[in-house]
Amino acid sequence: MKNLFYIILVALTVSSCSEFQKALKSEDTATKFNLGTELYDAGKYSKANRLFAQIVPAYRGKPQAEKLMYMYAMSYYHMRDFHLSGYQLERFQTSYPKSEKAEEALFLSAKSYYMLSPVYSKEQKETNEAIEKLQLFINKYPQSQYLAEANGLIKELDFKLERKAYEIAKQYNTTAYYESSDYEAAIKAFDNFLLEHPGSSFREKAMFYRLESAHKLAVNSVEYKKEERLGIAMGYFNTFKRYFSNSEFYPEAERMNQEMQTELEKFNTKS
């Protein structure tokens, strides 16, 4: 019985492959459409896609075009070819805005761009593009069943951008150990980060490392710049204390502040 089962299975597979190859070579668009639909429904998206690609031009303006273009676009999504699914699904929604599949298509188009977003350490062009596409979807379908998921995806992408910006600023702080001029770059980067991401989960760390950068810049400055820089750094300490007096970083922040006060008193003694 086992052998018979395998023989039948192989025979069906060979028959299926043969039917697919015949359809690929056929000039009959209806044959390609029907077999492509069967393959799509069976989850064989790559084969369905190959057949659909051959007949898309021939079906433009025909009643079956909407169904064909939806399956064609979705086959790319299921194949995880997100570059093409993003484009084709958006194109479907534009071509058939009144379709019952239009909302889903535009959401999955935006989600395709989300899937292309790289890790935070890489250049974030795709991340910004994904946020834009998701926001356009939300604006177009504010009552969508996909609204919660779309907002969740935007939140993830925003966090990625925040981490990218934070890590760049932190890197300036780290490399400044070897090149003191980078402390100024770190301070500026943290200032920009805090301005652009006021509610970030990295806010506490950003404020602390901004203080640390300003502290190191101040205490290691030449005399004619030291007093001014100490004042700026102590201002950063007061800001950190106001918001994060219970922080795990606070003892170190207080230590830096005490050191800066001692340095500043030298100027008061001179005057």
Side-chain angles (χ1 to χ4, degrees):
M1 289 296 293
K2 271 188 177 181
N3 289 339
L4 180 60
F5 172 77
Y6 286 124
I7 289 170
I8 293 172
L9 182 62
V10 169
L12 288 173
T13 302
V14 170
S15 174
S16 175
C17 290
S18 175
E19 185 181 8
F20 173 68
Q21 292 300 326
K22 285 181 180 178
L24 277 179
K25 296 173 184 177
S26 172
E27 297 295 325
D28 186 351
T29 56
T31 297
K32 295 177 189 290
F33 181 93
N34 292 332
L35 181 58
T37 301
E38 288 179 25
L39 291 168
Y40 179 88
D41 291 340
K44 297 179 180 179
Y45 302 111
S46 180
K47 285 185 175 181
N49 179 274
R50 290 179 65 187
L51 290 171
F52 294 151
Q54 291 184 341
I55 60 175
V56 162
Y59 274 84
R60 287 199 180 99
K62 293 184 178 180
Q64 305 98 320
E66 181 181 327
K67 181 180 180 180
L68 173 62
M69 292 306 298
Y70 173 76
M71 291 189 295
Y72 181 53
M74 284 297 295
S75 65
Y76 282 116
Y77 185 82
H78 289 300
M79 290 160 61
R80 301 184 66 81
D81 187 340
F82 296 117
H83 283 99
L84 285 174
S85 67
Y87 169 74
Q88 291 293 348
L89 284 163
E90 186 174 17
R91 183 184 178 193
F92 173 85
Q93 191 278 332
T94 302
S95 300
Y96 304 98
K98 295 182 179 179
S99 169
E100 64 177 18
K101 299 291 188 180
E103 179 183 327
E104 177 198 25
L106 193 61
F107 171 68
L108 292 180
S109 171
K111 190 172 181 179
S112 295
Y113 287 97
Y114 160 84
M115 297 298 290
L116 293 171
S117 174
V119 296
Y120 79 90
S121 57
K122 294 187 176 180
E123 205 278 327
Q124 294 298 305
K125 176 175 176 280
E126 291 86 355
T127 301
N128 285 303
E129 190 171 20
I131 291 172
E132 181 183 344
K133 296 293 184 182
L134 284 162
Q135 192 58 59
L136 285 172
F137 168 77
I138 291 171
N139 293 344
K140 191 169 188 65
Y141 297 103
Q143 304 300 320
S144 172
Q145 61 178 312
Y146 304 108
L147 183 63
E149 186 177 356
N151 281 322
L153 296 180
I154 288 178
K155 188 175 180 181
E156 282 184 45
L157 296 169
D158 279 337
F159 178 79
K160 190 180 292 187
L161 294 178
E162 285 180 17
R163 185 172 182 186
K164 173 78 172 180
Y166 168 76
E167 293 293 347
I168 288 173
K170 183 67 168 58
Q171 186 63 29
Y172 281 123
N173 174 275
T174 302
T175 57
Y177 179 83
Y178 305 100
E179 182 58 56
S180 60
S181 63
D182 281 350
Y183 284 128
E184 292 181 87
I187 294 166
K188 184 176 180 180
F190 282 125
D191 279 340
N192 290 337
F193 174 82
L194 291 165
L195 183 65
E196 293 170 9
H197 307 283
S200 172
S201 59
F202 294 105
R203 187 166 178 252
E204 177 184 345
K205 289 183 178 180
M207 282 190 174
F208 172 75
Y209 287 116
R210 178 179 65 174
L211 166 61
E212 183 183 68
S213 297
H215 161 262
K216 289 180 178 177
L217 179 65
V219 298
N220 293 298
S221 290
V222 294
E223 286 299 306
Y224 76 94
K225 290 184 177 182
K226 183 175 284 190
E227 185 175 13
E228 180 185 1
R229 287 176 172 176
L230 285 168
I232 292 171
M234 291 174 74
Y236 287 146
F237 167 76
N238 290 330
T239 302
F240 182 78
K241 181 180 179 179
R242 187 184 313 132
Y243 292 104
F244 299 108
S245 58
N246 294 319
S247 169
E248 63 177 302
F249 301 112
Y250 186 75
E252 175 60 15
E254 178 63 41
R255 185 200 67 76
M256 288 188 285
N257 186 55
Q258 290 293 333
E259 182 181 354
M260 291 187 293
Q261 284 182 339
T262 300
E263 288 291 319
L264 197 58
E265 284 172 7
K266 295 177 184 178
F267 288 94
N268 294 334
T269 302
K270 291 176 184 178
S271 60

